[in-house]
Amino acid sequence: MTHRRLPSLSALRAFEAAARHESAKQAALELSVTATAISHQVRGLEESLGVSLFVRKPRQLELTAQGRELQEVLESAFDSISTAVERLSAVPCRQAVTLSTTPAVAVRWLLSWVCLLRESHPDIDLRIHASHEPVALDGVTADLAIRYGDGRWPGLVAEKLFDNTFIPTCSPHLGLHDVAQLASHSLIHFRNEDAVSSPIDWAAWQKLAKVPGLDVSAGLVFSDETHAVSAAIGGQGVALMSRPLIEDELREGRLVQPFGPSFEGKPFYLVYPESRRNDPTILAIRDWVMSVPGGLCTLSG
């Protein structure tokens, strides 16, 4: 192994700064030391090398030929070191974005496709805020949201994702085919106190369907839609569910719609502040949501 013969690196750094500024005082300001310390370091370097590096004048330091040669080498070397350190220590700029949505939309759709966002925008860290209650899109609590409603929210851009149709659904193993059979089966309810608007419930559906003898207050009650879906798949009763959220189960035959009618709910929208319409990070999330394959967006057309 080759052993390098090098003077004190502190002395070399002091000399390079003094040579560049042609002043011990200015070098001292750059390195946050005293001018006396700079002078001491430079004199020690000259003694170590056995040459004079400066011609000292009353108000200026003037490089000797040997000093100029060393200064050019050190300037290049320190520039290379600085560049390498900046490159190695540079941390890619990452953006954290919070998307607020209902627990069912998050679990039954979004989470399956986060991989697509990571592939297209690895510098974005997505945070999912799952809640039935709308939160402020202030860049602190959340940046964007998927909300159901009429599409009119002051100060927000609202882009429709999908219509929200509710249907009676159950496991095919229950053998339901006629609405007259409904009264002999348990009803599965989804109720959440944090929900802003009243959910489509069995009372509203009964009024539309005009089904007599149905106790719409009885049955299993869940505060989470995903639990209600699981109960229906398990044959625990008949649920009134948002069709877009159970398309996979309907397609695969784990759930069926035994009878009608269907009940139209409020559509879902992607919303974000008007002031951030051209924000590249917001647009990246927007494009991801709109391009999810086989997802909710394709059901609106």
Side-chain angles (χ1 to χ4, degrees):
M1 179 182 295
T2 303
H3 294 278
R4 295 183 179 88
R5 179 177 175 270
L6 293 174
S8 162
L9 291 179
S10 296
L12 292 174
R13 190 180 180 205
F15 163 73
E16 190 278 332
R20 185 160 25 87
H21 291 289
E22 297 182 339
S23 166
K25 183 178 180 180
Q26 292 301 316
L29 290 174
E30 177 182 321
L31 300 181
S32 300
V33 296
T34 65
T36 300
I38 293 292
S39 297
H40 179 74
Q41 292 278 12
V42 171
R43 288 194 182 278
L45 179 60
E46 287 177 320
E47 291 174 3
S48 173
L49 297 176
V51 297
S52 294
L53 299 173
F54 288 112
V55 175
R56 290 164 175 81
K57 295 183 177 181
R59 295 177 180 234
Q60 183 181 3
L61 295 176
E62 183 178 309
L63 286 166
T64 63
Q66 294 92 335
R68 177 67 61 189
E69 180 181 354
L70 181 60
Q71 188 268 339
E72 290 175 354
V73 172
L74 289 178
E75 184 175 14
S76 177
F78 286 148
D79 284 345
S80 296
I81 293 171
S82 177
T83 299
V85 169
E86 288 180 7
R87 184 177 64 251
L88 293 174
S89 62
V91 177
C93 181
R94 303 191 63 81
Q95 295 288 329
V97 181
T98 300
L99 174 63
S100 180
T101 187
T102 66
V105 170
V107 172
R108 301 190 62 78
W109 180 51
L110 280 181
L111 295 184
S112 298
W113 302 106
V114 171
C115 57
L116 297 180
L117 179 64
R118 285 200 299 264
E119 290 173 0
S120 59
H121 295 282
D123 58 325
I124 294 179
D125 293 326
L126 180 65
R127 298 171 180 173
I128 301 292
H129 178 278
S131 173
H132 288 283
E133 184 177 1
V135 298
L137 304 184
D138 54 8
V140 178
T141 307
D143 299 281
L144 311 88
I146 294 177
R147 293 180 179 173
Y148 55 91
D150 57 12
R152 294 192 296 270
W153 291 279
L156 299 179
V157 177
E159 300 187 59
K160 186 177 178 181
L161 292 176
F162 64 102
D163 290 316
N164 200 13
T165 303
F166 287 79
I167 62 172
T169 184
C170 64
S171 167
H173 298 298
L174 293 186
L176 265 70
H177 302 288
D178 192 293
V179 70
Q181 300 172 280
L182 183 57
S184 62
H185 291 271
S186 294
L187 299 182
I188 296 174
H189 305 267
F190 160 61
R191 296 174 188 158
N192 191 289
E193 295 179 357
D194 293 332
V196 182
S197 60
S198 299
I200 302 300
D201 57 19
W202 279 111
W205 182 89
Q206 182 191 35
K207 185 176 180 180
L208 177 68
K210 298 181 173 59
V211 179
L214 187 62
D215 185 355
V216 294
S217 64
L220 294 170
V221 181
F222 295 94
S223 62
D224 189 306
E225 283 175 279
T226 58
H227 296 164
V229 172
S230 296
I233 293 173
Q236 301 304 310
V238 186
L240 191 62
M241 298 303 305
S242 171
R243 182 178 182 117
L245 295 181
I246 57 170
E247 280 293 331
D248 286 345
E249 286 76 12
L250 292 171
R251 184 172 53 253
E252 295 165 4
R254 288 182 289 161
L255 288 175
V256 295
Q257 180 182 353
F259 41 72
S262 299
F263 200 111
E264 292 302 317
K266 294 180 179 180
F268 275 75
Y269 293 83
L270 176 69
V271 298
Y272 48 91
E274 176 70 42
S275 60
R276 300 184 68 183
R277 180 188 288 272
N278 298 317
D279 186 317
T281 306
I282 295 294
L283 292 178
I285 301 298
R286 182 258 181 205
D287 291 346
W288 164 62
V289 171
M290 293 295 185
S291 65
V292 168
L296 306 181
C297 302
T298 62
L299 300 175
S300 62

